[in-house]
Amino acid sequence: MSTVETAETAIYDRRESEVRSYCRNFPVSFARAEGATLTDAEGNTYTDFLAGCSSLNYGHNDPDMKAALIAHIERDGLAHALDLHTEEKAAFLTAFEHHILRPRGMDHRAMMTGPTGTNAVEAALKLARKVTGRRNVIAFSNGFHGMTLGALALTGNAGKRGGAGVPLPDVTHMPFENSMGDLDTLDYLDTMLSNPSSGIDAPAAFIVELVQGEGGLNAASCEWVQGLARLAEKHGALFIVDDIQAGIGRTGSFFSFDHMGIEPDMVTLAKSLSGFGLPFACVLVRPDHDIWKPAEHNGTFRGNTHAFVTARVALEKFWADDDLRNEVARKSQVLEERLSQIAGRIEGAALKGRGMMRGIDVGDGDFAARICADCFRRGLIIETSGAQDEVVKVLAPLTIPMEQFRKGLDILDAAVEACAPFPIAAE
């Protein structure tokens, strides 16, 4: 697999910003994609365990979504509509209500924001502050919520925060579950918020990822999440679940909080919401909190009509029955077993995450980077996660064929053995 710079690739060094990142780890020119397979310009194929950072939970170029989108374009359907009424938006909202909200007894409204996850987070922050009249927000260690300034203030990663160039105020960071050994982090949070001399302003909201996608695949327990929701209510704060990466089937059901017995005040969604990799983000808001005045929060690209088309197909195809959920459950079991086996052969390694959002904490970022680089040479695209990039993270499409999934895990296993700086224990 050649990575030699050519006249075609030199344009990136000459004209693209130094901020680019993924292309440095996967230095080929990709030409096409189907399902869980990427093909480069030289015809080499790669199994995709990155899936657009969980933006492609249904794989690349799903044929039914593609056909619906092409038909929409060919009949001159709207590409851009601001928040105008369209048949496509009505069809999406109807499908979302029927397949997602009503079965869960959720009465939330969908607020279409700008097209990315960070836009959804910014809107949720603004609304929480408007509803409560408070400014401070409680976020959690190792959390990641976006790169615009409000969302970045919630984010824990020092490298990401360092790019801001300005203070990132009005957020108090508290320890995530199990992040401080035996300390009961809920009790600690409650103690701090209950003490008028703690120095922490009363919060407008708590915002949390139930599986921390960029923070190392730390997965919150049901008990901790329920306790956190109760604390938010006790202290007059809204409870916001950031389901941008962990939602839409990634952890087993549509929402990462399904079956946890909670109802968030707001839920932020993006990434795989469109089903096709198209930009689309929204905030689900309980009706009693939907106190916006018309146009009080808007954006030129809120409500991507093309995304409405593909998202509606995704809902009708994958969430009208339990087939996808059952498939994800089977693959999750395979993933847990294989990663546990691999981790068990590395001293100090640990299995992380939940569902199809899993990884191995190998304890060292350099080791994890070598594993991912070796995987790429063998035809597998995979990335790292965590405060020190110490977790090798599997984000395969939920729809990946089982045989291809197993072969991808075989590649990961071989790469771990090849890259380990110490003898790997036999299985």
Side-chain angles (χ1 to χ4, degrees):
M1 298 177 185
S2 174
T3 60
V4 176
E5 183 179 86
T6 65
E8 290 77 17
T9 60
I11 187 65
Y12 303 120
D13 288 334
R14 192 165 69 248
R15 290 298 179 190
E16 192 175 9
S17 168
E18 291 297 323
V19 79
R20 64 193 188 278
S21 60
Y22 288 105
C23 57
R24 299 180 191 275
N25 296 326
F26 312 116
V28 297
S29 181
F30 292 100
R32 62 187 305 272
E34 183 179 4
T37 302
L38 288 163
T39 304
D40 70 20
E42 297 182 351
N44 301 304
T45 59
Y46 307 80
T47 291
D48 187 1
F49 272 19
L50 176 59
C53 287
S54 203
S55 294
L56 295 161
N57 284 0
Y58 311 112
H60 296 267
N61 285 306
D62 175 87
D64 296 308
M65 297 183 212
K66 179 170 65 174
L69 180 58
I70 290 171
H72 173 80
I73 293 170
E74 285 185 336
R75 70 173 181 81
D76 292 328
L78 275 70
H80 182 273
L82 295 170
D83 66 359
L84 297 173
H85 293 168
T86 64
E87 293 178 354
E88 292 73 25
K89 180 163 65 174
F92 162 74
L93 287 171
T94 300
F96 194 77
E97 178 182 62
H98 180 71
H99 295 297
I100 305 301
L101 296 179
R102 281 184 175 166
R104 291 162 176 81
M106 295 174 64
D107 195 30
H108 292 61
R109 294 176 179 174
M111 174 188 176
M112 310 304 176
T113 69
T116 70
T118 197
N119 297 132
V121 170
E122 294 284 356
L125 290 180
K126 185 189 292 188
L127 183 56
R129 287 167 172 150
K130 179 179 175 65
V131 168
T132 63
R134 300 172 176 179
R135 293 174 56 179
N136 190 35
V137 173
I138 302 296
F140 292 88
S141 55
N142 290 303
F144 178 84
H145 298 281
M147 300 295 282
T148 51
L149 292 180
L152 188 59
L154 305 169
T155 294
N157 184 280
K160 301 290 192 293
R161 292 172 65 87
V166 297
L168 299 170
D170 300 320
V171 174
T172 300
H173 294 268
M174 285 289 174
F176 193 77
E177 184 180 20
N178 297 325
S179 63
M180 298 187 71
D182 294 332
L183 176 70
D184 184 335
T185 57
L186 291 180
D187 183 63
Y188 174 74
L189 174 58
D190 189 25
T191 299
M192 296 297 286
L193 291 179
S194 298
N195 181 355
S197 293
S198 68
I200 298 176
D201 294 333
F206 294 1
I207 186 167
V208 64
E209 303 160 275
L210 305 193
V211 182
Q212 296 184 319
E214 303 305 310
L217 298 182
N218 306 303
S221 69
C222 180
E223 293 75 18
W224 191 82
V225 174
Q226 290 174 345
L228 192 64
R230 288 193 296 269
L231 283 185
E233 183 176 11
K234 174 182 176 180
H235 292 285
L238 302 193
F239 187 53
I240 305 171
V241 171
D242 182 340
D243 238 6
I244 290 166
Q245 188 167 146
I248 314 184
R250 178 54 60 182
T251 57
S253 190
F254 192 87
F255 296 115
S256 67
F257 55 86
D258 281 342
H259 316 301
M260 285 191 171
I262 64 165
E263 183 176 287
D265 294 290
M266 292 188 235
V267 183
T268 58
L269 295 172
K271 289 194 180 286
S272 281
L273 184 58
S274 77
F276 202 69
L278 298 174
F280 182 20
C282 80
V283 183
L284 302 182
V285 183
R286 281 179 39 185
D288 50 318
H289 300 321
D290 186 23
I291 62 171
W292 295 113
K293 297 175 183 177
E296 194 171 16
H297 184 93
N298 57 23
T300 302
F301 292 102
R302 64 193 183 281
N304 180 344
T305 308
H306 290 166
F308 288 146
V309 172
T310 56
R312 186 264 306 165
V313 174
L315 292 170
E316 294 174 349
K317 179 174 181 176
F318 293 108
W319 298 100
D321 55 36
D322 290 332
D323 288 353
L324 178 67
R325 278 180 283 257
N326 293 336
E327 182 181 348
V328 170
R330 288 191 295 271
K331 289 172 184 169
S332 296
Q333 184 65 33
V334 169
L335 182 59
E336 180 177 352
E337 290 173 356
R338 289 298 305 275
L339 294 187
S340 295
Q341 291 170 0
I342 296 170
R345 294 159 52 209
I346 306 170
E347 185 177 355
L351 178 69
K352 302 291 290 291
R354 177 157 62 92
M356 286 284 282
M357 193 173 180
R358 288 281 199 177
I360 305 172
D361 183 344
V362 300
D364 178 75
D366 290 337
F367 182 19
R370 290 196 302 274
I371 292 170
C372 292
D374 192 73
C375 283
F376 179 64
R377 287 190 288 271
R378 297 169 186 264
L380 177 70
I381 294 174
I382 192 170
E383 70 161 348
T384 60
S385 173
Q388 305 295 331
D389 293 317
E390 72 280 8
V391 178
V392 179
K393 179 169 70 171
V394 176
L395 288 179
L398 308 181
T399 54
I400 185 172
M402 185 66 84
E403 182 180 359
Q404 185 178 10
F405 189 39
R406 292 183 185 275
K407 287 181 178 178
L409 293 171
D410 289 342
I411 291 175
L412 175 58
D413 196 341
V416 169
E417 185 161 356
C419 296
F422 40 77
I424 293 289
E427 292 188 41

